[in-house]
Amino acid sequence: MDTKKVWFVTGASKGLGLNLVKKLLLEGYKVAATSRKLNDLILAIGEKSNCFFPLEMNIVDDKNVALAISKTVQYFQKIDVVVNNAGYTQVGTIEELSDDEVRKNFDVNVFGVFNVIRNTIPYFRNQKSGHFFTISSMAGFSGGFAGWSSYCATKFAVAGMTESLAVEAREFGIKTTLVYPGHLRTNFLEKGSIMSAKNPIDAYVSVRQSELLVANKMNGNQEGDPEKAATAIIKMSNEENPALHFFMGEDAYKTAIAKMKIVNNELENWKKQSLSTGFSE
């Protein structure tokens, strides 16, 4: 009997998703992988096989997502693990970004995740098992990154949604893990993966300098190894009681510690005012 889990991974043609799919296949798992362009998957990974099912999927189209998941179940007879990895970075200050730019970022990074979960969870409920991994970011826990407001907002949104999902799905034997990666050495910061504001404002000098620093110095020098990140996700999938909050990378870990320290200090510093709003007895 084949006991290997079947994985469904979105955004699999590059970055963390690609590294994860390659690692899964190497270890003998069955994988359905999605991308906006089928040929990108075939070029990066290979043709369809008994273990690999490449799918072209438009993550913002709920019916198209439902079809991709249905095809996967028909192909492999089940799905055990879903990795919500698809997304992109939109940079620019709040003043610079148009309504259209922000909504498109939310369509992919947030509503795309809702589409995948909404259409997969009936299968998980039926089989009384399953594991959702949602890839957020350390920028989805700490928003202190000037010029990244839209991206941070989308990643905070999927973090809150995933916490709620964990409670909703628990009674059906479904596990949930929210992944906060730090900087991984992928093409995440390259042109095509990161979108700049169409109408930049000259006054935001420090933000432009920060963007240039990311593009010229950080890109290609990130401290996180995407292959080790893929290994960590696979290992977490095999835990009996996996983490709900998984901070992946030393930078993500330190960012979380710093944020919690700030929040804790403010809780204590403003405790009197916080507790002053109840009705007096």
Side-chain angles (χ1 to χ4, degrees), residues 122-261:
Y123 296 101
F124 281 6
R125 281 195 297 103
N126 251 356
Q127 64 195 28
K128 299 295 182 184
S129 67
H131 195 159
F132 285 110
F133 282 87
T134 298
I135 309 300
S136 180
S137 166
M138 64 180 183
F141 188 78
S142 177
F145 302 95
W148 291 64
S149 57
S150 178
Y151 181 74
C152 288
T154 65
K155 293 303 185 179
F156 267 80
V158 296
M161 178 266 287
T162 304
E163 288 186 354
S164 183
L165 171 67
V167 179
E168 294 172 358
R170 187 183 300 146
E171 65 180 294
F172 305 110
I174 301 170
K175 300 172 183 178
T176 309
T177 297
L178 176 59
V179 185
Y180 300 94
H183 295 294
L184 296 173
R185 197 171 298 178
T186 66
N187 54 5
F188 175 76
L189 296 176
E190 294 177 3
K191 290 181 180 179
S193 296
I194 187 166
M195 302 293 292
S196 298
K198 294 178 181 178
N199 297 299
I201 297 171
D202 292 341
Y204 287 103
V205 176
S206 62
V207 173
R208 294 294 88 78
Q209 290 173 341
S210 176
E211 288 176 3
L212 286 172
L213 178 67
V214 167
N216 298 330
K217 292 189 177 182
M218 185 176 291
N219 187 28
N221 295 304
Q222 299 97 321
E223 63 186 64
D225 183 338
E227 291 187 11
K228 290 182 178 178
T231 298
I233 291 172
I234 295 170
K235 184 177 180 181
M236 186 64 72
S237 75
N238 291 314
E239 295 287 345
E240 184 66 28
N241 296 297
L244 171 56
H245 298 276
F246 178 32
F247 292 90
M248 195 165 64
E250 185 176 352
D251 51 352
Y253 179 85
K254 288 181 177 178
T255 296
I257 292 294
K259 169 68 179 285
M260 289 187 287
K261 184 177 180 180

Side-chain angles (χ1 to χ4, degrees), residues 20-214:
L20 177 60
V21 170
K22 286 183 174 180
K23 183 71 174 176
L24 286 166
L25 292 172
L26 192 64
E27 294 190 8
Y29 291 94
K30 294 179 178 179
V31 184
T34 78
S35 180
R36 289 174 296 170
K37 297 179 181 179
L38 182 62
N39 197 50
D40 288 349
L41 285 170
I42 294 171
L43 288 173
I45 303 167
E47 298 284 347
K48 181 170 67 174
S49 69
N50 290 335
C51 292
F52 178 56
F53 187 35
L55 287 158
E56 185 169 292
M57 188 181 81
N58 180 3
I59 201 166
V60 303
D61 184 333
D62 185 58
K63 290 183 179 178
N64 190 250
V65 171
L67 180 61
I69 291 166
S70 177
K71 286 181 177 179
T72 299
V73 173
Q74 289 174 15
Y75 197 79
F76 289 129
Q77 282 72 59
K78 62 173 183 172
I79 301 175
D80 297 298
V81 184
V82 168
V83 182
N84 286 298
N85 174 69
Y88 74 95
T89 306
Q90 174 68 64
V91 296
T93 67
I94 293 173
E95 185 181 2
E96 292 170 317
L97 291 174
S98 67
D99 178 75
D100 183 60
E101 286 171 306
V102 176
R103 286 182 185 274
K104 284 181 178 177
N105 203 195
F106 268 79
D107 278 344
V108 174
N109 291 12
V110 180
F111 294 110
V113 176
F114 269 95
N115 289 341
V116 172
I117 292 173
R118 182 188 305 113
N119 287 291
T120 313
I121 203 165
Y123 296 101
F124 281 6
R125 281 195 297 103
N126 251 356
Q127 64 195 28
K128 299 295 182 184
S129 67
H131 195 159
F132 285 110
F133 282 87
T134 298
I135 309 300
S136 180
S137 166
M138 64 180 183
F141 188 78
S142 177
F145 302 95
W148 291 64
S149 57
S150 178
Y151 181 74
C152 288
T154 65
K155 293 303 185 179
F156 267 80
V158 296
M161 178 266 287
T162 304
E163 288 186 354
S164 183
L165 171 67
V167 179
E168 294 172 358
R170 187 183 300 146
E171 65 180 294
F172 305 110
I174 301 170
K175 300 172 183 178
T176 309
T177 297
L178 176 59
V179 185
Y180 300 94
H183 295 294
L184 296 173
R185 197 171 298 178
T186 66
N187 54 5
F188 175 76
L189 296 176
E190 294 177 3
K191 290 181 180 179
S193 296
I194 187 166
M195 302 293 292
S196 298
K198 294 178 181 178
N199 297 299
I201 297 171
D202 292 341
Y204 287 103
V205 176
S206 62
V207 173
R208 294 294 88 78
Q209 290 173 341
S210 176
E211 288 176 3
L212 286 172
L213 178 67
V214 167

